[in-house]
Amino acid sequence: MPGAMAMPRPRDECQYSRPLEARFDACPTFHPVRYVPLNTQFQPLQPVLACRHMEVGLRTDRPGRAYYCRCAVGDAPARERLGRQIGEQRTKLMQEVADRLMEVVAAHWESLGLAKGRELAAIGAFDRSDATREVAAIADLVAREMRELIDGPLQAQVDELGVKPEALVAVIEAGVRDFEANGFAGWTPPDELLGQLPADVAAFLRPPRATPAA
């Protein structure tokens, strides 16, 4: 309606244009994840770079159901506070490690998506069992290549962060097992795994959750 006042945006809304670009670093708490959507025939579409902290928010100040992309960390000041607590140098180091690990997923995204799609589309138990074994094999390959990065090219960065390699490998293994069960749905490490990591690394992987803003 002409002259109507625009409703203010939620304070915890993600303020960045999407899809995000590769090597996105504008947000101090950005944690890259690669999401592979499937179409209605369970075929993989082009992967999308997203952030682990992105959630679907519901606006309560509008009639009906109005959704928006919210940040689990909170509003811009909350993201800036967490960024300052972690520090720019360690944030960049963590993002470097995360980027390299995500490159492994990027290299296998098509085979992962196709295998998972065949599993979801399978009608008979035999076909589903065969597809499930294929998903497990590719997931194991991804986990193995990530472990090789941690024990090799990323060893210096992991050591500098004060992370025990076996603790990071445990997070990766748990994420891979979750993918086998649930596909590309969102996943965050549980407390028992985060407790084995330095506090700022744990906060990078799963920051304290903020109360949704109206």
Side-chain angles (χ1 to χ4, degrees), residues 155-185:
Q155 185 176 9
Q157 292 93 325
V158 171
D159 288 345
E160 186 175 347
L161 287 170
V163 175
K164 295 179 180 179
E166 60 270 22
L168 186 53
V169 168
V171 173
I172 289 171
E173 291 284 356
V176 167
R177 300 287 85 81
D178 183 82
F179 165 78
E180 289 184 51
N182 303 306
F184 293 97

Side-chain angles (χ1 to χ4, degrees), residues 137-160:
I138 300 171
D140 286 344
L141 174 62
V142 169
R144 183 170 68 251
E145 291 186 4
M146 286 185 172
R147 288 196 300 269
E148 290 171 353
L149 278 176
I150 292 169
D151 293 335
L154 290 177
Q155 185 176 9
Q157 292 93 325
V158 171
D159 288 345
E160 186 175 347

Side-chain angles (χ1 to χ4, degrees), residues 10 17 35 43 45 86 121 162 202 210:
S17 298
Y35 173 69
Q43 297 297 309
L45 304 175
I86 297 175

Side-chain angles (χ1 to χ4, degrees), residues 54-138:
M54 284 183 181
E55 296 183 340
V56 177
L58 175 63
R59 297 192 63 164
T60 59
D61 59 340
R62 288 185 172 183
R65 305 185 71 81
Y67 298 98
Y68 69 99
C69 180
R70 75 176 294 268
C71 177
V73 180
D75 57 13
R79 295 192 291 271
E80 291 170 2
R81 283 195 300 272
L82 183 59
R84 287 195 299 270
Q85 290 171 11
I86 297 175
E88 183 177 356
Q89 181 177 354
R90 284 181 65 82
T91 296
K92 287 183 177 180
L93 195 59
M94 284 186 270
Q95 288 176 340
E96 179 183 348
V97 172
D99 283 344
R100 290 295 303 276
L101 295 176
M102 282 299 101
E103 287 174 4
V104 176
V105 178
H108 297 286
W109 74 265
E110 187 170 14
S111 57
L112 279 168
L114 286 170
K116 195 64 183 178
R118 282 194 289 271
E119 182 186 33
L120 294 171
I123 298 175
F126 178 81
D127 290 341
R128 185 175 298 109
S129 177
D130 188 56
T132 297
R133 285 193 296 271
E134 184 179 3
V135 170
I138 300 171

